[in-house]
Amino acid sequence: MERGKYLALVGGGVLLGSVSTFFLLRLLQSQKRGVSQCSKNVTADFNGVEGCIISGKKNDRVVNEDLLKDDIVSEQLTRNIQFFGFESQQKVTTSYVVVIGLGGVGSHAASMLLRSGIGKLLLIDFDQVSVSSLNRHAVATRADVGISKAQCLKEHFFSIFPECQIDAKVLLYDSSTEEEILSGNPDFVLDCIDNIDTKVALLAACVRRGLKVLSATGAGARADPTRIRIADLRESTNDPLSRAVRHRLRKDHGIEGGIPVVFSLEKPKAKLLPFKGPSGEEENPSHYQIVPGFRVRIIPVLGTIPAIFGQFMASYVVTELAGRHVQTEPVVNFDMDHYHTLHQRLIEHEESLYGTSIEVQVDVEEVMYIVKELWHGRSAREKLVKDVGRGMWRSVNELMLVRWDRTKPASISNLILLKFKEVDEHESQTLDDIKENEPEFYSRVTAVLKRAELDFAL
């Protein structure tokens, strides 16, 4: 009798637990479906593309500053807090970032921004997940094929970091959507667009609005992750997309540079594939464009490279927001022969000026550090990038290392790179003269040389 009561009690508990679990799962699924559907009353037409805001919990502009006080959130971000410190991670968690373009590059960038604790994200893309995009997308599965990329990311992101305020919009960026996308004073904008017209318009708008922006150039048809760099747009080489963007920004908007970009030094391994219509014959791809100006021909993509581009972007943005600026590797196209030449030139100059080279305290390897890491292969007097690619190779023929302070040895923290024509004027002045007459130049050089002291613990 007692055994029967016991079994009945256990059975009832199991039944009650099953029913509760069933209804809880139904509730979560209904909430997920609420996030999945475009609200019919907020659709609009943008250049022939129907846009919508993915419904879900309301996103306010103000990010919760107490987010890190939540035990689960602080545990989830504990490794970041250990890396940055609490106050720096707090800057990240209270930041607002806009990601435009959610394909291979943008989906990975957005995913790692979320996992790094960004407090608010705005996700923008007008396109849908396709089967062929699964080789490079950060989170999409076959079940996501056919839904918008913005919707796909928001659904997956909600299960990773639900405390993040995520706003997802199915929109095409253009002049009519600029205010909707760029308003709200975002802390950073990520340009992950692969269309030239749209990319140029977005970058110009960010410059005009004074917004920090990081742009991705072409990640397709490349395979070498060791050649990916972050540098000023002026320095991006071997990339047809960045070349076209540079030209258009300069011609149409008077923008010479000042925009950081992620790019690859690797030359593309393949070209756009020929476009074939329904008949199987090659046809004019412009006849099949849904949106004018957007590419319909296919470029071969090794999925790992756009993923790494996106990771680069997320890392750059998170460290910038945390106040931990990373000194990226400069793009300097010198080889060891160039550094040997500059080292020998320094020795000869010391012997000519002082009668001996005994106070030259650097070897070729240290010359490479000074030229590449400190001065980026350019004269210390150059504020803007002028020589890139082959132009930089030619520029080495007019550069030499000289002492900053003539009263101290030619050491790793006392050498600057100048053009031949700048050397005589520099050596005719004292540091006090430079400090008084050119305070900005003096401060800039001393800051760079201070870095050498820190790097070598001098």
Side-chain angles (χ1 to χ4, degrees), residues 320-366:
E320 286 289 312
L321 293 173
R324 292 288 194 89
H325 177 70
V326 174
Q327 190 72 38
T328 57
E329 183 178 2
V331 181
V332 178
N333 296 322
F334 291 169
D335 58 28
M336 287 308 297
D337 287 341
H338 291 126
Y339 298 118
H340 277 285
T341 298
L342 289 168
H343 185 245
Q344 185 61 35
R345 201 172 284 166
L346 169 63
I347 292 173
E348 292 173 357
H349 181 68
E350 288 280 312
E351 291 175 343
S352 172
L353 194 62
Y354 302 105
T356 178
S357 62
I358 195 171
E359 291 198 318
V360 174
Q361 299 179 357
V362 292
D363 57 22
V364 174
E365 188 172 316
E366 289 166 333

Side-chain angles (χ1 to χ4, degrees), residues 110-263:
S111 179
M112 281 313 302
L113 288 173
L114 178 87
R115 291 182 183 275
S116 298
I118 294 293
K120 181 176 180 181
L121 284 170
L122 173 57
L123 308 174
I124 302 292
D125 202 306
F126 73 94
D127 203 3
Q128 297 177 335
V129 176
S130 64
V131 175
S132 64
S133 66
L134 297 182
N135 83 315
R136 58 194 180 277
H137 199 275
V139 298
T141 67
R142 289 189 181 181
D144 297 314
V145 172
I147 70 172
S148 71
K149 292 178 179 178
Q151 173 183 334
C152 170
L153 283 181
K154 182 165 184 175
E155 288 186 6
H156 285 279
F157 284 5
F158 187 74
S159 65
I160 298 170
F161 186 32
E163 291 80 8
C164 179
Q165 298 180 38
I166 304 171
D167 196 3
K169 298 184 179 183
V170 183
L171 292 177
L172 172 67
Y173 178 87
D174 62 14
S175 58
S176 68
T177 59
E178 176 188 323
E179 179 63 22
E180 180 176 358
I181 294 172
L182 297 182
S183 62
N185 194 31
D187 297 290
F188 239 107
V189 176
L190 271 65
D191 159 36
C192 305
I193 303 168
D194 60 4
N195 171 262
I196 295 175
D197 292 341
T198 310
K199 182 178 286 288
V200 169
L202 172 61
L203 295 177
C206 287
V207 172
R208 186 176 67 251
R209 288 170 171 261
L211 298 175
K212 291 182 178 180
V213 61
L214 175 62
S215 178
T217 62
R222 292 170 172 83
D224 186 356
T226 68
R227 297 177 67 80
I228 300 173
R229 299 288 187 274
I230 295 180
D232 191 277
L233 178 63
R234 303 181 191 91
E235 300 181 74
S236 56
T237 56
N238 293 333
D239 179 60
L241 178 59
S242 58
R243 187 184 308 120
V245 170
R246 280 198 306 272
H247 174 75
R248 288 279 302 278
L249 283 173
R250 183 173 59 251
K251 178 184 176 183
D252 299 344
H253 302 280
I255 298 173
E256 294 286 343
I259 299 172
V261 297
V262 179
F263 67 102

